[in-house]
C-alpha cells in the first residue's frame, strides 16, 4: 500500500472542522493553531499567510524579537529534520555580517528625542514663517524616527516608541498592525494596504493628517490614546491653518518618498511565489541620495531594500549597513534596484 500523503504544512481541517495553522521555521514545522488568536496581529494574519508561504523563516526572522522566537519554539513540533532552504542559509550569512548594527546608538537616540521635542515646542510657539517649516520638518523626521523605533526590538527602545506618539501623533499599535503586514506581504495585491492606491498628487499632502485620524480611530491601547491626545493638545496651541499647512507640506514630501519606494515595482496578484530575499528586492526601489541630510529627511527610505531585508536596523545605521548588505548580496548574484523618486 502506498503511504498516505503528508498533510498540508499551511492549513488543514481536523475532524472537528477546525482550521490548523502549520509553518516551517528553519528545519522544523510548528503547529501554531493554539497560539494564532493570541498573536498581536490576530488569527487573521495566519489566515493571510497560509495561502502564501509554507516556510516563513525569513519573514519571521526579519521582524520578530528573541522573545517571539521563544514563543514559536514552545509550540508543538509536527515535523523535524527538514532540510533548511538555501535562501534561508543565505539570509543567515548576510544577517551575521550586520547583526551588530541592530542595536541603537543611545547618543543619537537622545539627540533625536531632544531635537524633535524642541522642534515641536518651537513650532507651536513661533510666528507662521518659522512655525510652518519647523512643524513640517519635525513631523517628517519624527515620523521616520517613530518608524525606526517601532521596528527595533531592543526592549527599552521598543517601549519608548509608544510615548513618541506625543511628538508624531501616531498610535504604535495601529502602526504595528498596518505596517508589519506591508513588510510580510510587500506588493501583494489585496494584502499589502500600503500600495496600489490611485491618489492624485494633490492628495499626497493629506498623508499625515489621514494617518493621525486613522490612528486615533483604530487605537485600542489606552496609553496610545493618551499620548495622541497630548499631541493634539500641544499642536493646537498653534493656529489651526498654520498646523494644517505644515502637515500638508510634510505629508506631500513623505508620500512622494514612500510611493516611489514600491508603487512602480513588481506586484504579486495571486501569490508570493518568490523566496524572501528576491521578494524584497524586486518589490523595492532605492534612491541614489546617500548623504547624511538625505538620510535624515528620508528616514533611510533611500535604502528601502536593505530596510525590508533587515528592518530592525535603525535608520541612521543604514548607510553603513547598506554597503555590507550589497557586498554580500552580490556574492549570491542579487542586485538592488536604484531609481528615481518620481
Amino acid at each position: 500500500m502506498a503511504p498516505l500523503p503528508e498533510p498540508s504544512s499551511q492549513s488543514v481541517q481536523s475532524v472537528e472542522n477546525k482550521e490548523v495553522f502549520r509553518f516551517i521555521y528553519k528545519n522544523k514545522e510548528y503547529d501554531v493553531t493554539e497560539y494564532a488568536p493570541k498573536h498581536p496581529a490576530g488569527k487573521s494574519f495566519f489566515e493571510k499567510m497560509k495561502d502564501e508561504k509554507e516556510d516563513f523563516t525569513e519573514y519571521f526572522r526579519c521582524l520578530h524579537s528573541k522573545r517571539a522566537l521563544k514563543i514559536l519554539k514552545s509550540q508543538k513540533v509536527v515535523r523535524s529534520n527538514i532540510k533548511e532552504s538555501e535562501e534561508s542559509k543565505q539570509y543567515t550569512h548576510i544577517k551575521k555580517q550586520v547583526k551588530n548594527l541592530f542595536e541603537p546608538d543611545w547618543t543619537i537616540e537622545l539627540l533625536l528625542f531632544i531635537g524633535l521635542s524642541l522642534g515641536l515646542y518651537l513650532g507651536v510657539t513661533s510666528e507662521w514663517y518659522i512655525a510652518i517649516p519647523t512643524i513640517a520638518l519635525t513631523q517628517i523626521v519624527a515620523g521616520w524616527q517613530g518608524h525606526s523605533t517601532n521596528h527595533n526590538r531592543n526592549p527599552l527602545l521598543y517601549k519608548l516608541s509608544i510615548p513618541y506618539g506625543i511628538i508624531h501623533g501616531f498610535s504604535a499599535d495601529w502602526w504595528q498592525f498596518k505596517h508589519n503586514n506591508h513588510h510580510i506581504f510587500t506588493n501583494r495585491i489585496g494584502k499589502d494596504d500600503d500600495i496600489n492606491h490611485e491618489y492624485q498628487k494633490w492628495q499626497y499632502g493629506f498623508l499625515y493628517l489621514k494617518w493621525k485620524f486613522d490612528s486615533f480611530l483604530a487605537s485600542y491601547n489606552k496609553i496610545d490614546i493618551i499620548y495622541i491626545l497630548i499631541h493634539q493638545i500641544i499642536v493646537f496651541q498653534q493656529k489651526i491653518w498654520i498646523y494644517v499647512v505644515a502637515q500638508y507640506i510634510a505629508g506631500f514630501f513623505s508620500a512622494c518618498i514612500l510611493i516611489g519606494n514600491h508603487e512602480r515595482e513588481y506586484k504579486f496578484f495571486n501569490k508570493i511565489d518568490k523566496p524572501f530575499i528576491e521578494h524584497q528586492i524586486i518589490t523595492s526601489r532605492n534612491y541614489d541620495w546617500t548623504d547624511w541630510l538625505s538620510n535624515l529627511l528620508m528616514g533611510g527610505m533611500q535604502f528601502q531594500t536593505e530596510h525590508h531585508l533587515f528592518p530592525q536596523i535603525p535608520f541612521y545605521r543604514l548607510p553603513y549597513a547598506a554597503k555590507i548588505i550589497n557586498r554580500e548580496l552580490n556574492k549570491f548574484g542579487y542586485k538592488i534596484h536604484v531609481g528615481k523618486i518620481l
Side-chain angles (χ1 to χ4, degrees):
M1 178 182 291
L4 293 173
E6 288 280 351
S8 167
S9 301
Q10 299 174 55
S11 70
V12 297
Q13 299 290 329
S14 69
V15 289
E16 294 85 10
N17 202 35
K18 178 183 177 183
E19 196 166 26
V20 177
F21 299 106
R22 295 175 176 175
F23 295 97
I24 294 171
Y25 178 81
K26 288 193 173 182
N27 62 347
K28 294 180 181 179
E29 182 180 20
Y30 294 89
D31 186 331
V32 296
T33 308
E34 296 302 318
Y35 179 71
K38 305 172 190 176
H39 188 271
K43 183 181 175 183
S44 62
F45 164 75
F46 295 95
E47 291 171 340
K48 289 180 180 179
M49 191 66 177
K50 70 182 182 184
D51 298 324
E52 302 294 341
K53 293 288 180 180
E54 178 181 5
D55 186 336
F56 73 169
T57 304
E58 287 71 54
Y59 294 89
F60 182 93
R61 295 177 73 192
C62 75
L63 289 171
H64 289 81
S65 63
K66 292 179 180 178
R67 179 175 175 273
L69 181 58
K70 287 182 181 179
I71 293 173
L72 175 62
K73 289 186 174 181
S74 71
Q75 306 305 302
K76 181 181 178 181
V77 177
V78 294
R79 277 198 300 163
S80 57
N81 298 320
I82 299 170
K83 184 178 180 182
E84 186 177 358
S85 71
E86 288 304 312
E87 290 80 8
S88 180
K89 292 177 182 178
Q90 291 172 1
Y91 187 81
T92 297
H93 170 79
I94 300 171
K95 186 175 181 179
K96 285 179 180 178
Q97 314 306 311
V98 294
K99 181 66 176 176
N100 64 316
L101 300 176
F102 283 32
E103 287 302 308
D105 182 319
W106 289 108
T107 301
I108 294 177
E109 294 291 341
L110 181 61
L111 289 174
L112 281 167
F113 187 80
I114 293 173
L116 292 169
S117 299
L118 290 174
L120 183 62
Y121 173 78
L122 183 63
V124 300
T125 58
S126 303
E127 294 298 320
W128 69 268
Y129 50 86
I130 295 177
I132 290 176
T134 302
I135 292 174
L137 181 61
T138 300
Q139 182 65 66
I140 289 168
V141 179
W144 299 133
Q145 173 62 353
H147 169 246
S148 188
T149 57
N150 270 280
H151 270 306
N152 197 272
R153 292 300 178 257
N154 177 280
L156 177 57
L157 187 61
Y158 189 68
K159 289 178 181 178
L160 290 175
S161 68
I162 298 177
Y164 246 112
I166 295 176
I167 301 176
H168 54 56
F170 306 129
S171 160
D173 276 1
W174 164 83
W175 182 91
Q176 287 279 4
F177 180 80
K178 173 183 181 294
H179 192 67
N180 286 346
N181 264 322
H182 162 67
H183 271 263
I184 297 291
F185 305 109
T186 311
N187 280 24
R188 168 64 164 91
I189 302 301
K191 294 185 178 181
D192 182 358
D193 293 334
D194 282 4
I195 59 122
N196 213 37
H197 297 299
E198 296 181 356
Y199 296 123
Q200 300 296 314
K201 283 190 172 63
W202 66 268
Q203 295 175 298
Y204 290 4
F206 295 106
L207 176 74
Y208 285 132
L209 292 171
K210 182 180 184 302
W211 279 3
K212 290 182 181 185
F213 181 73
D214 291 347
S215 180
F216 181 81
L217 291 181
S219 178
Y220 298 102
N221 185 312
K222 292 181 180 179
I223 295 177
D224 273 20
I225 291 174
I226 290 171
Y227 290 133
I228 291 170
L229 288 174
I230 292 173
H231 171 81
Q232 297 301 326
I233 292 170
I234 293 173
V235 297
F236 284 115
Q237 301 303 305
Q238 184 55 272
K239 294 182 177 68
I240 293 179
W241 75 267
I242 292 176
Y243 173 71
V244 171
V245 169
Q247 288 294 306
Y248 187 88
I249 294 170
F252 187 88
F253 176 84
S254 295
C256 288
I257 302 299
L258 294 170
I259 289 171
N261 279 144
H262 294 290
E263 200 66 47
R264 295 187 296 275
E265 304 310 306
Y266 187 90
K267 294 183 176 69
F268 297 92
F269 290 88
N270 297 310
K271 182 179 181 179
I272 301 172
D273 57 359
K274 303 291 184 185
F276 176 77
I277 295 177
E278 185 179 357
H279 172 197
Q280 303 307 326
I281 289 176
I282 66 175
T283 58
S284 301
R285 171 184 297 203
N286 284 19
Y287 305 134
D288 192 19
W289 296 71
T290 56
D291 58 277
W292 71 269
L293 181 59
S294 296
N295 197 53
L296 182 68
L297 294 177
M298 296 184 189
M301 295 301 95
Q302 70 273 50
F303 303 106
Q304 181 69 209
T305 309
E306 293 90 340
H307 166 66
H308 264 251
L309 291 171
F310 301 101
Q312 295 185 41
I313 298 177
F315 81 90
Y316 46 80
R317 293 196 189 277
L318 278 172
Y320 178 65
K323 296 177 181 178
I324 300 172
I325 295 168
N326 275 273
R327 181 191 70 204
E328 301 304 318
L329 285 174
N330 290 339
K331 293 178 181 178
F332 298 117
Y334 297 111
K335 184 175 177 60
I336 287 176
H337 177 211
V338 179
K340 295 180 179 179
I341 295 175
L342 293 175

